[in-house]
Amino acid sequence: MYDSEFLALLVGSYRRLTGESMIPKSVRADVDMAHWLYHEAPFGILVHDTSPEPRFVYANRAAQSFFECGRDDIVGMTSAMSAPEGNREARREFMDGVTKHGYRTGYTGIRRALTGRLFWIEDVTVWNLVDEAATVHGQAALIPRVRPA
């Protein structure tokens, strides 16, 4: 999966908002970055769009493994469905803070794999996908750790 505009938006907005890079310095070319991020990143990346009920548009292999599914299973799913019903309010409050401030770090919450298994995501960073013209195209999450619930 390679789309240079999407990659620039994802990686660039993360860097602009957090001041950090999610890609190792050894990975340079766009094709290499796209491959590394999708296949080799040691963290999950999930991206949803800006529709009224945001839907996932990207999930790297790590995120797919966390949610015990394939790309076709998670892409298109409403992002709110990733949280069990009783935990959606805390998720919504955190996401409202992301909308207001551009990004937030340190989120921990329970999630539900597509198999029904519950698990914790920990120390998550969520940021707005913002282009150079300050247009928001969605939100992304970097999930560095998960553990069983």
Side-chain angles (χ1 to χ4, degrees), residues 46-90:
L46 286 171
V47 178
H48 68 229
D49 64 13
T50 59
S51 60
E53 288 197 35
R55 295 184 177 277
F56 290 125
V57 296
Y58 179 87
N60 71 354
R61 291 282 173 105
Q64 292 171 37
S65 72
F66 301 159
F67 286 89
E68 299 176 352
C69 66
R71 180 191 174 282
D72 292 341
D73 298 316
I74 197 164
V75 170
M77 182 176 89
T78 58
S79 60
M81 295 303 293
S82 67
E85 197 167 320
N87 293 285
R88 292 183 187 159
E89 182 63 23

Side-chain angles (χ1 to χ4, degrees), residues 76-143:
M77 182 176 89
T78 58
S79 60
M81 295 303 293
S82 67
E85 197 167 320
N87 293 285
R88 292 183 187 159
E89 182 63 23
R91 178 193 173 277
R92 186 193 59 75
E93 288 175 10
F94 184 84
M95 297 304 280
D96 287 348
V98 173
T99 299
K100 183 176 179 181
H101 301 290
Y103 82 101
R104 288 188 64 192
T105 62
Y107 177 76
T108 297
I110 196 145
R111 291 295 177 269
R112 181 181 54 230
L114 271 65
T115 60
R117 181 187 59 84
L118 298 178
F119 63 98
W120 287 94
I121 57 174
E122 299 180 318
D123 200 26
V124 177
T125 298
V126 180
W127 70 99
N128 289 331
L129 294 180
V130 181
D131 63 21
E132 299 287 340
T135 302
V136 177
H137 296 273
Q139 292 177 323
L142 187 151
I143 306 166

Side-chain angles (χ1 to χ4, degrees), residues 6-30 33 36-37 43 45 102-103 105 125-132 140 142:
F6 174 77
L7 181 65
L9 181 64
L10 180 66
V11 173
S13 59
Y14 182 84
R15 182 178 300 214
R16 281 190 304 279
L17 289 166
T18 68
E20 300 174 8
S21 176
M22 72 171 75
I23 306 289
K25 290 180 182 181
S26 61
V27 179
R28 292 280 180 203
D30 284 354
M33 281 191 234
W36 183 88
L37 193 61
F43 47 78
I45 294 284
Y103 82 101
T105 62
T125 298
V126 180
W127 70 99
N128 289 331
L129 294 180
V130 181
D131 63 21
E132 299 287 340
L142 187 151

